[in-house]
Structures are given as structure tokens and as C-alpha cells.
Amino acid sequence: MDKNQAKERIEELRKQVEYHAKKYYDEDKPEISDFEYDMLMVELRNLEKQFPEFQSKHSLTQRVGGNVKEGFQKVTHEVPLQSLQDVFSIEEVEDFVSKIEQKAQENKIETVTYVVETKIDGLSAALEYKNGELVRGATRGNGLVGEDVTNNLKTIPTIPTKLKDSIDITVRGEVFIAKDDFEKMNQKRQENEEELFANARNAAAGSLRQLDSKITQTRPLDIYIFNVQKIEGKEFHSHYEELQYLSDLGFNVNPVRIYCKNRKEIEKAIEKIGEDREKLTFGIDGAVVKVDDLKFREILGTTAKTPRWAVAYKYPPEKKETKLKDIVCQVGRTGVITPMAILEPVKVAGSTISKTTLHNEDFIKEKDLKIGDIVVIQKAGDVIPEIVAVKKEKRTGEEVEFNMPKACPVCGAQAVREEGEVAIRCTGIECPAKLFRNLVHFVSREAMNIDGLGENIIQQLLDKGLIENIADIYTLQFEDIASLKKNGQKFAQNLVDSINKSKENDLYRLITAFGIRHVGTKASKLLARKYKNLDSLIEASFEDLSMINDIGPIVANSIREFFTQEQTLDLIEKLKKAGVNTAVSSKEDENTDNRFEGKTFVLTGTLENYTRGEATNLIEKFGGKTSSTVSKKTDYVLAGEEAGSKLTKAQSLGITVLTEIQFQEMIR
């Protein structure tokens, strides 16, 4: 490679590692594996070494990645929180030890001992104590400046707020989420069809860097302390001695620390940690080799980014081949149908893998997966098993193409994939897999508004078999409800009253409660106003629906799909029998005042006499509509106190701006 090619490649690599470091450190959303990122860094480091004229202090090989997130106070670390030099072979570890021993001879140091520890896969943090009390905690950030996350760190049960000794000390540790806790978190997110965390490290980092510590408190964070950054009034000779003292103080210290006298013992320790890594309750991404003698460390010194007295050995990701025996589909709580690979059981990184998610239809096509294929499995972040490749050269011709189902595998209702989406969804409102979520939405405030029927009560009713579908809400008996709570008579009466009251709701609330895709409260009101009763809406054609302002073809198609389902018609019949109103009430029908018809309002700022919802309801009552953005199509901007950029834009476009008093005059 000549100089021009080297320069071009170095610039390209720097851009790549900057991009992926931002995704990893700042956004906690990595797009490539740790190993792939490490390999980019190795190539960059080697090229910079080969062509020193292109070295730069701004390169990530010379500085720590990570920035302070907006919203956090900055903390300048009195002692920098440095990174570690990564090595990827035992030969590189031996080279490190040789350099240490050579330096020891130069300084007439007879023996050098080491400590080998697990490199915990988490987020580095510094804890500062004054007189034994926790006063501040911060993330590593870029090593010199981090984020003040004191309140978030205080939510971690294993961090002592008061030490056993009244001492001034700053320690460094790694915040992490244990393997089992991580799997439970992702399992719950998958059930709720939320985006899965890529790995335990990023889940921990994202949890610690929340602006609201209440969110952090709900996450199962833990910490292991592994270093004394600074201490007043005490002196240590060795790192091993420091760790013991930290443990005595009450800290949760890194449990894997192996004292080594020579390179053979170091290699054995690395091998031992590698063999035991799957037995550990926490994730690791390597083993750290440290010089034990603290005074010798001072002689060895540091670079701008890394200490010269330690290296991190990175274990290569383990990959195995196995057979894709079948692909089955699971239905989540919101109706998303997810394909799952059934595998010939294979042991990867210490765990037996027999199935893994295939995410969606596009993933299967992208990988060109067929039932019967020989596939390559690895664990993403050493936790989540994934298919990374297909061995197409091993195909026999007996492999079978897989197609996503056209009907829900649980209830048989139509399964649809809408334009612009990767997910295929079940459309059945009575699908058992979706029932909990459908019930929660049906009774919610914006829908049927059944006060007292929260998620916990709904789950209890389902667990006890007291309800099996939405209509069963209206057959609940007083005694059944009272049995859910100790001394539950008053609660039961209130809930029965609320259920009975919901039968008289306006039609738009029932339409909203159905949870039709793309149909919210605003569209439900339009439909109720247009068709007057549910039977007319059921009979409405696609063409008629498409012609309604703010409905359009996508929403019209969704409405037609919903009302042609047998499950929908069955539910409606049950609701009618229960006495639930399915028509516009006479009071609502009497309102023929459409003074705002064809007019679009945008609300901004704080109103004195109305909430946003109340003002929106008034506008819609008179035939108008609201929008969240100001454009040339906006007719009025209703501006309250502390109105911001929307008001400025309205003024620049010459749009009529209403005060609250002017608005009240318009609706009198």
C-alpha cells in the first residue's frame, strides 16, 4: 500500500470508527458487533503505526470515545478514567509481559507480579466519597469529562451511600446488567413489541444515562468496583491490596481477580476465565492483565489514552454451524407476528441454542434463509443468539422456502403487512395473544373510559378466567370483582357503576376503543358524525370512506379490513346484547353547528381555562380539526402563555393568531 492509499484508508477508517463510537458510547445503539469495531480499530492502529506521518491526536486510537449527553451536568475527573489497550492473541499478551519485564530490569526491580481480572461488559463510572459518604457519581465520558449521574447511581442497591470508614476516596467501577436480568428485560420488551436492547452493555449504559432517575430505578443495574482512583490518608503497595480494602469498605468488588507471578500463570488465568465465562452471572468482553505493584505502575506511566501497565485480552466470538429445522411464528401482545428459527441444538459460548428470533420477513429474505439450511450461529454480545450466515454451498436441493402466514397462527384472522412497515400483524380483535393489550386499550380514558379497570385488575381477571374476551367486561358480577381485593365491596361497586356508565358512551368512544389501525379519537369522531351508527359504518364501502376528509385510502383500507373480520362482527353482536350504545346519541346528533368546518387550528403555549384536550374537543365539536404543525394550510393558531416557535412561524406566514379570549368569543 502506497502513501496515498494509506492516507485514504486511514481517513475512511477514522470516519467509520467515529460513527460507530458515537452509536456505541453516545447513543447506546450499536450497529456492528464489538468484534467488528475492534477489527476496524486494529486496522487503523496498524496503519497509523506503519505511516506515522498520518497520526493525529484527534484519532480515536489516541483518545477515549464518548461525549457528555445534553441535559447532564459536566464533571471533570480529577484522575482521568482511561481506556485499555486491546490485544487479540496470547502472543500479544506475551509481548506486553516481555516489555514490562524489560522495564523492570532497567529499574532493577527483581520480581513483577500481576492481577488478571474479568473485563466486565458495562459502563465505567467514578464514585466520589467525602468522609465516607457518597457525594457524586459520574460516567467516564471522554475520560477527562463525564456526566453527573449521582441520582441515577444512588438507585443501584449495591452502591453504598455510606462507607464503613469515614474516608475521602474516589473509586472506579463498571455498571452492568446481569445476564439473567438482561434476558428477562428483553423478553418483556419482546412481549410488548418494544425495540430489543442490542446487548447488556448498551442496556446498562442507556439505563444509567437517563435524565429521569425514576426510569433508572426500574432497571436491574449492578456495579463491580475495580480501582482506587484517589484516596486521602492511606497508602497501598499493590493493586491486590487495594481491592481487598475496597471490599472491606463495603464495595461490591470485581469477584474474579487472579494473582499471577509469571507469564505462564497469566496465560492459565486468561484460559480459565475463558472457560468459565459462561458460568459467570455477568457478561464480560475480555480479561484484563494488570501490573500489581503500584509504584512500578508510576514508573511505567500512561499514554494520553491508555496506561502502559495493563492490557485487555479480547476473546474471539465463538461461531458454530447447525441445521435450521423449521421456522414457526409467534404472535406478540400487539399482534405482530414474529418468525422464530427452530435449530438443531448446538452449544455456543457455553450455552445450548435450540431457537432464535428471525425478526421479520425482510430479515429472512436478506439472509436467504430456507428450512433445512446449514446456518452459522453466534451470540450477539455473548448473550443473544443470532444467525449470522447461511452455508449455501452445503445445500442439497431439499431445502424449503418459507413464506410468512396470511392468517394469524393463533386465531386465524387475516394477517397484513402495511406499506412502509416490516411487521406483519394479526387483525383479529379477539385474538388470545392480543387480548390483554386490546382490553387495556378498550377501557382506557380516551376510549370507553372505564375507571378502576387498570392493567393489574385486567391481568387478575384473565388469570382467574373471569374474562375471555372484551365483551365479557359487561358480564362481570359484583362478587367476582369484589374477590379481587381484600374488603373489595366498595371497589366492586365503583367498577360496576363505571362499566354500566360506559354503555351510554358516545359512538366515537366505542370506535376508538376498537383500536383499528390508524384510527384515533379524531378519526373516530369523523366516522361517528358521518355514519351516525355502527351498522352504517360496517356497511360503508372503501370508496365512501376514502372520500372523507382526513381518512384517505390507507385508513379506509384499515377500517374495511377490521369490519370484515368475523371476530369483529362477533364482538359487536355481544356488545349490542350487553346494551352498549352503538349509535350517535340524540344530544350529540343535535349538534349541527359546524362553524369551524374546513378550518384547521394549531394549539401552542399554556391556556388558562382549557387543557389541550378540552380545546381540541371544542374545535372538533364545531366541525374543525387540529394539527400539530403550522403550515400555509393552517387557518388559526390558538396561542397561550409561553407560546414558542409555532407562534413565530404563524406570524411569519401571516396566519391569524387567536388569544384565549378571542377563541372564547368565537365559540359563544
Side-chain angles (χ1 to χ4, degrees):
M1 185 182 286
D2 62 30
K3 280 190 176 183
N4 289 333
Q5 289 173 318
K7 185 180 180 183
E8 194 175 310
R9 180 60 180 158
I10 286 170
E11 287 173 357
E12 183 188 340
L13 285 167
R14 281 177 183 161
K15 283 179 186 174
Q16 285 186 48
V17 296
E18 284 278 0
Y19 173 81
H20 289 298
K22 189 173 189 298
K23 286 285 176 186
Y24 183 87
Y25 291 109
D26 299 340
E27 299 177 22
D28 303 313
K29 289 183 177 178
E31 292 181 357
I32 60 174
S33 68
D34 289 1
F35 183 75
E36 289 170 303
Y37 178 79
D38 288 340
M39 291 304 100
L40 290 174
M41 285 292 282
V42 167
E43 185 184 353
L44 178 58
R45 194 182 298 119
N46 289 341
L47 281 172
E48 287 178 344
K49 193 174 180 181
Q50 191 178 342
F51 298 91
E53 61 268 38
F54 300 134
Q55 284 185 0
S56 167
K57 66 180 181 180
H58 301 296
S59 172
L60 272 176
T61 58
Q62 306 301 312
R63 62 183 176 86
V64 176
N67 295 295
V68 175
K69 188 176 180 179
E70 193 176 335
F72 285 109
Q73 291 290 319
K74 292 182 178 180
V75 174
T76 301
H77 298 299
E78 201 169 336
V79 178
L81 272 63
Q82 292 188 303
S83 184
L84 286 168
Q85 178 66 52
D86 294 331
V87 296
F88 300 90
S89 67
I90 292 299
E91 288 74 26
E92 288 179 281
V93 174
E94 289 174 349
D95 184 50
F96 163 76
V97 173
S98 295
K99 287 176 181 174
I100 295 295
E101 288 174 351
Q102 186 180 340
K103 200 74 177 173
Q105 286 176 2
E106 290 171 10
N107 288 274
K108 297 180 181 178
I109 296 170
E110 291 182 11
T111 57
V112 183
T113 55
Y114 304 84
V115 179
V116 178
E117 303 170 12
T118 48
K119 186 175 185 295
I120 300 149
D121 198 12
L123 178 75
S124 239
L127 306 174
E128 186 182 339
Y129 290 80
K130 295 287 183 188
N131 293 319
E133 293 195 9
L134 179 63
V135 294
R136 189 165 66 174
T139 61
R140 182 176 70 171
N142 63 12
L144 300 173
V145 178
E147 300 148 328
D148 189 328
V149 288
T150 309
N151 290 335
N152 292 357
L153 285 164
K154 282 180 177 179
T155 69
I156 301 175
T158 47
I159 292 180
T161 53
K162 189 171 180 62
L163 302 177
K164 293 176 182 177
D165 193 354
S166 299
I167 195 163
D168 291 357
I169 187 172
T170 302
V171 299
R172 181 175 176 181
E174 198 80 359
V175 176
F176 66 94
I177 293 176
K179 291 177 185 176
D180 286 350
D181 289 333
F182 176 70
E183 286 185 4
K184 285 174 189 171
M185 277 178 69
N186 255 355
Q187 188 177 355
K188 192 172 181 181
R189 291 178 77 86
Q190 188 168 20
E191 286 172 1
N192 294 333
E193 279 154 27
E194 297 172 329
E195 186 181 355
L196 297 185
F197 290 115
N199 53 50
R201 184 267 167 201
N202 291 92
S207 300
L208 185 62
R209 301 171 79 215
Q210 291 286 334
L211 295 173
D212 184 355
S213 60
K214 288 178 183 175
I215 297 174
T216 306
Q217 194 167 16
T218 65
R219 306 282 172 81
L221 294 176
D222 204 341
I223 191 170
Y224 280 137
I225 305 300
F226 61 83
N227 200 52
V228 173
Q229 295 295 101
K230 185 187 172 187
I231 191 168
E232 299 289 340
K234 271 192 180 291
E235 191 174 336
F236 299 100
H237 300 290
S238 75
H239 175 62
Y240 207 79
E241 184 187 351
E242 271 185 343
L243 294 176
Q244 187 55 54
Y245 175 70
L246 290 172
S247 184
D248 294 341
L249 277 180
F251 286 112
N252 204 23
V253 177
N254 189 345
V256 182
R257 45 191 191 272
I258 304 170
Y259 185 77
C260 300
K261 297 175 184 174
N262 51 53
R263 69 178 67 192
K264 274 192 176 180
E265 289 187 3
I266 291 170
E267 288 173 25
K268 280 184 181 177
I270 291 171
E271 188 180 341
K272 173 71 173 164
I273 290 171
E275 288 171 356
D276 292 347
R277 64 191 298 194
E278 287 307 313
K279 298 174 190 173
L280 297 172
T281 57
F282 54 94
I284 67 169
D285 60 348
V288 183
V289 183
K290 300 177 180 178
V291 169
D292 190 38
D293 188 300
L294 299 180
K295 286 192 174 169
F296 187 27
R297 283 188 184 184
E298 288 178 17
I299 295 168
L300 293 165
T302 67
T303 68
K305 181 181 179 180
T306 61
R308 293 193 177 95
W309 41 263
V311 290
Y313 172 80
K314 292 289 196 80
Y315 297 97
E318 187 180 0
K319 296 180 181 180
K320 289 283 183 70
E321 288 185 16
T322 190
K323 187 174 185 177
L324 175 57
K325 292 166 64 180
D326 198 3
I327 298 175
V328 297
C329 287
Q330 297 180 333
V331 185
R333 283 187 164 187
T334 62
V336 171
I337 300 170
T338 305
M340 180 74 67
I342 305 300
L343 306 165
E344 196 78 56
V346 61
K347 199 161 189 177
V348 184
S351 298
T352 301
I353 309 301
S354 59
K355 62 182 180 179
T356 184
T357 180
L358 296 177
H359 305 292
N360 52 56
E361 188 176 27
D362 289 355
F363 180 86
I364 293 170
K365 287 178 178 174
E366 210 175 279
K367 291 276 192 267
D368 189 22
L369 286 169
K370 294 182 180 181
I371 297 169
D373 270 334
I374 300 300
V375 294
V376 179
I377 302 289
Q378 79 171 28
K379 275 189 172 183
D382 275 345
V383 177
I384 305 169
E386 64 178 358
I387 292 176
V388 293
V390 179
K391 306 297 282 186
K392 293 181 185 179
E393 68 275 13
K394 294 190 176 183
R395 282 180 174 166
T396 63
E398 294 181 8
E399 292 77 19
V400 179
E401 291 273 358
F402 172 78
N403 294 303
M404 289 294 286
K406 302 293 183 189
C408 172
V410 174
C411 72
Q414 187 181 3
V416 297
R417 176 177 176 173
E418 293 181 3
E419 193 176 337
E421 291 196 359
V422 296
I424 292 176
R425 296 176 185 271
C426 164
T427 57
I429 194 169
E430 293 187 328
C431 179
K434 295 168 55 181
L435 183 56
F436 176 79
R437 285 288 170 211
N438 287 347
L439 283 163
V440 169
H441 174 71
F442 188 87
V443 305
S444 63
R445 185 169 295 176
E446 69 275 13
M448 294 302 277
N449 192 25
I450 302 178
D451 192 32
L453 202 47
E455 290 191 15
N456 183 43
I457 298 297
I458 288 171
Q459 193 61 63
Q460 286 187 61
L461 291 169
L462 288 168
D463 291 343
K464 290 177 179 286
L466 295 173
I467 54 174
E468 294 179 353
N469 57 56
I470 288 170
D472 284 348
I473 290 169
Y474 294 98
T475 63
L476 283 170
Q477 300 299 307
F478 176 91
E479 295 77 15
D480 292 335
I481 298 170
S483 70
L484 301 178
K485 286 192 174 186
K486 192 176 180 182
N487 302 320
Q489 283 81 5
K490 187 177 179 182
F491 164 74
Q493 190 57 59
N494 289 339
L495 183 50
V496 166
D497 291 344
S498 187
I499 289 170
N500 288 330
K501 186 182 175 184
S502 76
K503 293 179 182 180
E504 300 168 9
N505 280 339
D506 290 331
L507 174 60
Y508 84 85
R509 284 191 169 276
L510 181 58
I511 298 170
T512 303
F514 286 142
I516 306 165
R517 293 275 292 159
H518 309 301
V519 178
T521 305
K522 192 183 292 187
S524 296
K525 287 179 177 178
L526 285 172
L527 293 169
R529 199 177 296 133
K530 167 80 174 171
Y531 292 103
K532 309 298 184 189
N533 62 68
L534 203 53
D535 290 337
S536 297
L537 176 56
I538 291 168
E539 295 299 321
S541 68
F542 171 80
E543 289 74 22
D544 286 344
L545 290 162
S546 300
M547 295 299 290
I548 301 171
N549 244 359
D550 292 333
I551 294 294
I554 292 174
V555 182
N557 188 56
S558 186
I559 293 167
R560 288 305 306 141
E561 280 178 349
F562 180 79
F563 284 114
T564 53
Q565 294 287 334
E566 282 185 28
Q567 291 182 30
T568 302
L569 301 176
D570 178 62
L571 172 62
I572 290 169
E573 280 306 307
K574 288 174 182 172
L575 292 173
K576 283 180 179 178
K577 282 180 183 177
V580 175
N581 174 50
T582 59
V584 171
S585 66
S586 56
K587 184 182 175 184
E588 190 181 11
D589 205 22
E590 282 168 9
N591 178 37
T592 55
D593 187 341
N594 292 321
R595 68 183 75 177
F596 293 154
E597 189 169 3
K599 302 296 182 185
T600 301
F601 288 71
V602 171
L603 311 182
T604 182
T606 305
L607 300 173
E608 187 179 342
N609 297 304
Y610 308 101
T611 64
R612 287 279 182 95
E614 288 167 346
T616 299
N617 285 336
L618 280 167
I619 291 163
E620 290 176 354
K621 177 184 174 184
F622 293 117
K625 63 179 183 178
T626 58
S627 173
S628 58
T629 55
V630 177
S631 70
K632 290 179 181 178
K633 293 181 180 179
T634 305
D635 296 290
Y636 300 105
V637 169
L638 174 54
E641 290 183 19
E642 298 179 9
S645 58
K646 290 177 184 177
L647 174 59
T648 307
K649 188 172 182 181
Q651 290 167 335
S652 69
L653 292 173
I655 292 163
T656 303
V657 177
L658 301 173
T659 64
E660 193 169 345
I661 293 170
Q662 289 171 321
F663 177 68
Q664 287 173 325
E665 288 294 330
M666 290 175 74
I667 61 174
R668 272 181 187 162

